[in-house]
Amino acid sequence: YTGSYEEFGYWQKNDKGLLEYTSLTHLIKGRSFTSEEFWEILPVEDYIVFRSFSAIYVFKKGKIQVIDPPEVVSDLILHKGKILVAAGAKGLYELTENEIVPLENQELLNGKTVTDMVPYKGGILVGTKLNGCFLFDGNKLQPWEAPINEELIRHQLNKLLNLGGTMLALGTIKNGVYLYDSETGQSQIINRKYGLQNNTILSMTRF
């Protein structure tokens, strides 16, 4: 599955082994579809969720359902069978069959912009733009009591990646990537000084 500007769909191999593209946007009914950019695709059981900043598109059984969030959507994550949504500056929401429902106990995220979320120690590590990280266990939020959190606040956290075991990659806007060991508390910085072409981390993935 792929998403781009005003377009999303999927690729399949033909009988010659070549990839052929099928657009899904023609399935969107009764809605204007202009200036949409797709930033995230989440496979969930028998359906696919496409995320733009302004809407969530669910592709299931040959149909597209469009769900309008209350605010700009910045991230999605699947946690214990539930799709959690970060939207605006009022905390986290849950994506149900046809709407986005605000979660309880989100006061710590009021006024804060969530930039990314990753699975972490049975819960979720929630990263914010200017206020570091928080822990969410599915019911309540609490500040992440890690010394590196101050560095993330100073250098503007943007992306999170769980590397497995005790290791996290923490991408920032101003100072590259921090490789952090949550068990020892030690970290290593990879930025322009140490070989990166740019200190601004827009995306990370693990191979």
Side-chain angles (χ1 to χ4, degrees), residues 78-80 118-125 135-139 162:
L78 183 63
H79 178 65
K80 296 181 178 178
V118 292
Y120 181 72
K121 294 185 176 180
I124 297 173
L125 188 64
L135 295 173
F136 182 59
D137 64 4
N139 294 303
N162 193 323

Side-chain angles (χ1 to χ4, degrees), residues 18 30 37 40 73 78 88 112 120 133 140 178 197 199:
L18 300 176
E37 296 180 355
E40 191 170 6
V73 179
L78 183 63
K112 301 174 179 66
Y120 181 72
C133 291
K140 63 180 181 179
Y178 290 79
Q197 292 183 339
N199 276 340

Side-chain angles (χ1 to χ4, degrees), residues 13-183:
K13 286 185 178 181
N14 61 22
D15 54 4
K16 296 181 179 180
L18 300 176
L19 288 171
E20 293 183 343
Y21 180 71
T22 300
S23 175
L24 295 174
T25 55
H26 67 282
L27 298 174
I28 300 169
K29 306 297 184 182
R31 180 188 178 92
S32 61
F33 186 69
T34 57
S35 300
E36 287 280 54
E37 296 180 355
F38 290 91
W39 294 91
E40 191 170 6
I41 301 171
L42 183 67
V44 184
E45 297 178 351
D46 62 341
Y47 60 98
I48 305 292
V49 180
F50 297 86
R51 174 184 72 81
S52 71
F53 284 134
S54 61
I56 293 173
Y57 298 78
V58 180
F59 174 53
K60 184 176 182 179
K61 296 181 179 178
K63 296 181 179 180
I64 294 286
Q65 180 184 15
V66 185
I67 300 174
D68 291 309
E71 311 241 7
V72 172
V73 179
S74 57
D75 198 28
L76 301 172
I77 191 171
L78 183 63
H79 178 65
K80 296 181 178 178
K82 297 179 179 181
I83 301 175
L84 303 186
V85 180
K90 295 182 180 179
L92 305 181
Y93 298 76
E94 181 184 346
L95 176 64
T96 63
E97 287 189 2
N98 54 18
E99 62 180 336
I100 296 175
V101 180
L103 298 180
E104 297 181 351
N105 305 316
Q106 297 296 299
E107 293 80 9
L108 283 177
L109 289 179
N110 281 345
K112 301 174 179 66
T113 300
V114 174
T115 57
D116 208 0
M117 300 182 287
V118 292
Y120 181 72
K121 294 185 176 180
I124 297 173
L125 188 64
V126 181
T128 67
K129 185 176 181 180
L130 298 173
N131 301 91
C133 291
F134 296 81
L135 295 173
F136 182 59
D137 64 4
N139 294 303
K140 63 180 181 179
L141 278 163
Q142 64 184 54
W144 188 36
E145 301 292 348
I148 199 170
N149 223 9
E150 292 301 318
E151 287 289 306
L152 303 180
I153 294 171
R154 183 178 304 113
H155 297 295
Q156 197 172 326
L157 177 67
N158 193 46
K159 286 296 173 183
L160 300 169
L161 181 63
N162 193 323
L163 298 175
T166 61
M167 296 299 298
L168 293 167
L170 310 164
T172 69
I173 293 294
K174 300 178 180 179
N175 199 33
V177 179
Y178 290 79
L179 300 179
Y180 176 70
D181 189 325
S182 61
E183 184 173 300

